[in-house]
Amino acid sequence: MGSQQRVLFSRRILSLLLSSVLLFLLVACSQSKPPASEAAAEEAAQAQQESIPTGSILLRGAGATFPSLIYKRWFSLYHDSHPQTFVRYAAVGSGEGVRRFIGRNLQPQEDIDFGASDAAMTDGQIAEAGYNVLMVPATAGCVVLAYNLPGVSAELKLSRKAYAGIFLGEIKNWNDPLIAQSNPGVKLPNLTIVTVVRQDASGTTFAFTRNLDAISGRWRGQFGPATIVDWPGNAMRAKGNEGVAALIEKSTGSIGYVGYEFARRIGLDYATLENKDGQFVKPTEQSCTQALSNTEMPDNLRAFVPDPSGHASYPIATFSWILLRRSYQDAQTADAIRSLLQWSLQDGQRYASELGYVPLPQAVAEKALAAVNSVSAQSR
């Protein structure tokens, strides 16, 4: 074999080897799983940590992202004072929390002891869960309209017609006359409005769309209140309150609905909104408390405040519910759930303000505590 033939032969061998390596990598990549979302990754990490000391108990919950900041604080502090009780909470959205609580098409790792939802549960969902349901209001707060408008440092006011029009896709530009009317002297940019909305079934969406349903006949006729919406107009979608807040932060010209606590945590600007009495009110602990202060809580503890009256009431406020069984299969779980929620409804409320939530009105907390105290066990 001549030197030229040896070179050609070596190149062919090298080419075959490279092809084999590439084929192996392609097959390996095709068999690997796509990267999980942040929530799914956190949930998987928690699942790996579920080995607990002998004699301890693990309570697993899942659901709403809106109250997740205060739940995280509660469950950590509760464990500090009750070291034999471990609580894992997956912030996967209200709709997913209800699905898991009902027990519909569950994977083994999705089994939970309690759910969480800002939309409570419908009568149909309660029936699907065999009526073994207690809906306990655990915390409350406001939904704000956070926005990203560089160069606008003045307080942005949005009338009821303006913010309904924005999310109906009718108001498309930030210098629209209906927005300018409530903001005299403010130089609004000639910039396209992009709404940021939830892609997952969400109690925050439910709270916001209940308000839109109350203030806009057009919204009421086309959409109504819902946990998931086929949003009109120029909309970007994100998962969870944290996802919406992050997308607003990096998207110039955007506006989206998000829990007050998430907007405050990352320093987003949020609008002052016109309420039922025609007053423009900022979201604060005081204005959110005022919005919920006169709520009449029925026996099933499911109450909504879609358009609160009152001169100082912020217009979009909601309770958030923890979903419990009336009767658990074993006494240990029933006792642990009851103790956890008793602490949350009493000692836990003191942490609401610092995290951007609203402590439950006393009358609501008392009814919620009575419901928790009724939790029983089938094994007794």
Side-chain angles (χ1 to χ4, degrees):
M1 182 182 295
S3 60
Q4 187 173 4
Q5 289 177 314
R6 283 197 296 271
V7 170
L8 289 173
F9 179 78
S10 299
R11 286 178 178 173
R12 286 175 185 170
I13 294 296
L14 181 59
S15 178
L16 285 171
L17 286 172
L18 287 173
S19 297
S20 299
V21 170
L22 286 172
L23 180 60
F24 173 81
L25 290 173
L26 286 170
V27 170
C29 289
S30 68
Q31 291 176 343
S32 65
K33 295 180 180 179
S37 68
E38 185 176 338
E42 182 178 350
E43 191 173 4
Q46 286 183 355
Q48 292 177 352
Q49 299 170 3
E50 287 187 358
S51 176
I52 61 173
T54 303
S56 299
I57 185 170
L58 173 65
L59 299 175
R60 297 180 64 193
T65 65
F66 178 88
S68 62
L69 300 182
I70 195 168
Y71 287 176
K72 184 177 181 180
R73 175 72 66 86
W74 282 354
F75 301 155
S76 174
L77 290 172
Y78 184 81
H79 174 70
D80 289 343
S81 58
H82 300 75
Q84 291 185 315
T85 301
F86 294 79
V87 188
R88 303 280 187 260
Y89 181 75
V92 291
S94 293
E96 178 67 5
V98 170
R99 182 189 72 83
R100 295 189 190 188
F101 182 76
I102 291 171
R104 189 190 308 136
N105 302 322
L106 292 186
Q107 299 297 318
Q109 71 273 15
E110 294 177 337
D111 189 40
I112 58 174
D113 301 297
F114 65 92
S117 171
D118 311 318
M121 291 175 71
T122 66
D123 290 345
Q125 289 168 336
I126 292 170
E128 194 176 352
Y131 298 97
N132 188 21
V133 177
L134 283 173
M135 299 181 291
V136 178
T139 189
C142 286
V143 178
V144 304
L145 299 186
Y147 60 89
N148 184 336
L149 281 181
V152 177
S153 57
E155 174 186 311
L156 181 70
K157 297 179 179 179
L158 293 176
S159 67
R160 290 151 79 85
K161 286 184 178 180
Y163 72 80
I166 288 171
F167 284 89
L168 277 164
E170 297 172 346
I171 297 178
K172 303 178 186 298
N173 202 286
W174 278 108
N175 64 359
D176 187 280
L178 196 54
I179 300 176
Q181 181 180 330
S182 302
N183 296 276
V186 177
K187 184 173 177 54
L188 296 167
N190 182 16
L191 185 64
T192 299
I193 296 173
V194 180
T195 57
V196 183
V197 301
R198 289 284 288 274
Q199 69 182 40
D200 51 325
S202 157
T204 310
T205 301
F206 185 74
F208 181 45
T209 57
R210 280 194 72 91
N211 175 259
L212 291 176
D213 184 75
I215 70 173
S216 167
R218 178 129 186 215
W219 182 275
R220 191 160 51 250
Q222 287 187 250
F223 301 100
T227 58
I228 193 162
V229 176
D230 183 14
W231 292 92
N234 193 13
M236 296 189 296
R237 291 160 174 78
K239 189 172 183 180
N241 273 276
E242 193 164 8
V244 171
L247 191 52
I248 294 168
E249 184 182 30
K250 65 183 182 183
S251 304
T252 300
S254 65
I255 182 170
Y257 60 93
V258 66
Y260 169 64
E261 63 282 3
F262 286 90
R264 191 182 75 163
R265 186 173 66 159
I266 65 174
L268 293 177
D269 292 321
Y270 37 82
T272 297
L273 302 182
E274 183 186 12
N275 69 10
K276 189 174 186 178
D277 288 15
Q279 302 299 311
F280 285 89
V281 180
K282 293 180 180 180
T284 63
E285 180 185 349
Q286 292 72 29
S287 64
C288 295
T289 299
Q290 182 64 35
L292 298 167
S293 60
N294 296 319
T295 304
E296 291 291 334
M297 190 62 68
D299 290 341
N300 68 0
L301 303 184
R302 182 177 60 196
F304 306 110
V305 190
D307 191 22
S309 57
H311 185 85
S313 293
Y314 181 76
I316 314 174
T318 184
F319 293 103
S320 190
W321 289 263
I322 282 184
L323 312 175
L324 305 179
R325 312 287 180 197
R326 291 181 178 275
S327 179
Y328 284 85
Q329 290 185 354
D330 68 274
Q332 186 185 28
T333 300
D335 291 344
I337 285 282
R338 196 166 48 248
S339 178
L340 173 66
L341 267 295
Q342 286 168 346
W343 183 92
S344 301
L345 290 169
Q346 296 176 104
D347 294 356
Q349 295 298 309
R350 74 179 70 171
Y351 301 101
S353 299
E354 67 182 79
L355 294 172
Y357 297 90
V358 175
L360 292 177
Q362 184 175 352
V364 174
E366 288 173 356
K367 282 194 171 185
L369 188 59
V372 168
N373 289 338
S374 73
V375 170
S376 64
Q378 296 172 11
S379 59
R380 283 203 170 102

